[in-house]
């Protein structure tokens, strides 16, 4: 596992000491550019691959990702995740078809499965399982009859689940403390020819670069990483996976979430958001979908 270093060797210059970091995507120490400070967090960008990172004070994910995160109690969370189930499942059904075109049938794992809405759509075609850190969400998924474990995608948890033909992380990888290690572990538990499908923001997109610190996905400390296509490809290579495709798909987004995010970006007080059952097709081309494939045996 790549250990994140906060200081350069003593022989380096003073500037390099301050901004030399171990890049998970590059797999080595690289120079980082300081971009800005937000919410007592420092945002840096790797000069080699473009990966952005958050250097934050103590952050406890298990205490942050509770039911409040999904019910509008956090400005950088979801407005009404459960209330938007119908819209979310419509979008997730499209993602399932995308996966089936590349790996149809077999076992599927979702890391960060929330309340299990994606798994409900995927179980029509796959033998599904999930891992979710938020205890309330995981319990809800189990109550719906899904095989969902509460916790994180570490080796003991994955070893108990076995091997999979498809692994999915939908808007999850940017939250992980060590994405390099997680992708490596997932690759070990992927069947030959299997795929990992990842969605996350594209930090190298024109919208992200134009908006800078006001980019809609620039929400530290819950977003710890800001990926580019090159940086995600680098994580895949480190795990022995080939980057098969990168695209920027349209999504069906709940109207309540659109309103919720706009109010946060404009600095307006949040309120009960209508429109959880209404879906809008949107694409700012600042969110990407990446497919990593394990070579056949």
């Amino acid at each position: 596992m790549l250990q994140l270093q906060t200081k350069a060797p003593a022989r380096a210059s003073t500037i390099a000491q301050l901004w030399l970091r171990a890049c998970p995507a590059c797999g080595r120490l690289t120079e980082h550019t300081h971009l800005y400070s937000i919410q007592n967090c420092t945002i840096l960008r790797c000069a080699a691959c473009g990966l952005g990172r958050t250097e934050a004070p103590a952050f406890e994910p298990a205490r942050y990702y509770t039911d409040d995160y999904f019910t509008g109690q956090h400005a950088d969370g979801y407005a009404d995740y459960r209330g938007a189930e119908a819209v979310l499942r419509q979008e997730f059904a499209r993602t399932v078809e995308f996966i089936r075109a590349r790996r149809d049938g077999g076992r599927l794992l979702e890391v960060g499965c929330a309340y299990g809405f994606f798994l409900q759509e995927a179980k029509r075609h796959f033998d599904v399982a999930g891992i979710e850190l938020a205890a309330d969400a995981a319990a809800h998924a189990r109550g719906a009859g899904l095989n969902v474990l509460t916790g994180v995608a570490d080796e003991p948890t994955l070893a108990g689940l076995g091997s999979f033909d498809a692994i999915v992380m939908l808007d999850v990888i940017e939250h992980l403390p060590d994405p390099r290690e997680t992708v490596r572990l997932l690759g070990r538990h992927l069947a030959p020819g299997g795929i990992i499908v990842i969605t996350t923001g594209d930090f190298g997109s024109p919208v992200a670069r134009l908006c800078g610190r006001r980019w809609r996905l620039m929400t530290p400390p819950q977003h710890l990483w800001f990926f580019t296509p090159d940086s995600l490809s680098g994580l895949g290579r480190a795990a022995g996976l080939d980057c098969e495709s990168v695209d920027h798909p349209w999504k069906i987004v709940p109207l309540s979430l659109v309103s919720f995010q706009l109010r946060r970006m404009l600095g307006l007080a949040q309120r009960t958001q209508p429109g959880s059952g209404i879906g809008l097709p949107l694409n700012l081309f600042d969110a990407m979908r990446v497919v990593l494939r394990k070579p056949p045996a």
Side-chain angles (χ1 to χ4, degrees):
M1 179 174 66
L2 182 66
Q3 298 297 321
L4 300 184
Q5 304 293 323
T6 58
K7 293 184 179 179
R11 65 178 180 277
S13 68
T14 301
I15 294 178
Q17 284 184 358
L18 186 60
W19 304 125
L20 196 63
R21 300 290 185 270
C23 176
C26 296
R28 57 186 173 83
L29 288 170
T30 62
E31 290 188 2
H32 282 62
T33 302
H34 174 264
L35 298 181
Y36 21 74
S37 297
I38 304 173
Q39 302 279 21
N40 297 319
C41 301
T42 300
I43 309 300
L44 306 177
R45 179 166 56 207
C46 174
C49 71
L51 174 66
R53 70 193 299 153
T54 297
E55 296 202 336
F59 178 62
E60 299 180 42
R63 297 184 61 181
Y64 191 84
Y65 299 117
T66 64
D67 201 47
D68 287 348
Y69 181 76
F70 297 97
T71 57
Q73 304 306 305
H74 290 301
D76 50 8
Y78 291 90
D80 182 12
Y81 194 92
R82 282 176 290 179
E85 178 177 357
V87 175
L88 294 170
R89 288 183 63 165
Q90 183 182 2
E91 171 60 28
F92 290 151
R94 298 171 68 243
T95 302
V96 171
E97 292 308 308
F98 175 87
I99 295 169
R100 292 184 66 206
R102 290 153 181 80
R103 187 75 176 191
D104 194 10
R107 304 191 69 222
L108 179 146
L109 171 68
E110 184 182 11
V111 177
C113 65
Y115 293 85
F117 298 159
F118 172 82
L119 294 177
Q120 292 287 10
E121 297 299 320
K123 74 178 186 180
R124 305 170 191 268
H125 308 283
F126 296 90
D127 176 14
V128 302
I131 302 172
E132 173 54 46
L133 178 62
D136 292 337
H140 179 95
R142 286 192 293 270
L146 296 169
N147 176 21
V148 170
L149 302 180
T150 302
V152 297
D154 55 15
E155 180 56 37
T157 300
L158 292 169
L161 290 170
S163 178
F164 291 90
D165 301 284
I167 300 176
V168 181
M169 287 193 287
L170 304 178
D171 302 327
V172 167
I173 194 168
E174 63 269 22
H175 300 267
L176 301 178
D178 191 345
R180 181 183 178 92
E181 176 66 4
T182 298
V183 172
R184 185 189 71 82
L185 286 174
L186 295 179
R188 286 181 54 191
H189 291 273
L190 194 62
I195 60 173
I196 300 178
V197 178
I198 299 170
T199 63
T200 189
D202 183 351
F203 195 41
S205 67
V207 168
R209 290 187 174 274
L210 178 64
C211 294
R213 62 183 297 127
R214 298 186 181 278
W215 184 36
R216 66 186 181 91
L217 299 176
M218 182 56 62
T219 57
Q222 59 123 345
H223 283 178
L224 297 171
W225 305 97
F226 307 97
F227 290 92
T228 62
D230 284 347
S231 58
L232 270 182
S233 295
L235 287 185
R237 285 193 300 272
L241 307 172
D242 299 322
C243 184
E244 184 171 279
S245 69
V246 179
D247 70 334
H248 297 77
W250 286 78
K251 292 181 68 174
I252 302 172
V253 183
L255 176 60
S256 59
L257 180 58
V258 175
S259 174
F260 191 74
Q261 289 193 347
L262 282 174
R263 295 186 71 85
R264 172 179 58 79
M265 293 167 65
L266 294 172
L268 301 176
Q270 294 292 356
R271 61 186 184 188
T272 301
Q273 304 295 330
S276 293
I278 301 173
L280 297 177
L282 294 176
N283 195 351
L284 298 178
F285 297 94
D286 64 343
M288 59 184 168
R289 177 173 56 192
V290 176
V291 178
L292 304 177
R293 188 180 292 273
K294 189 170 186 175

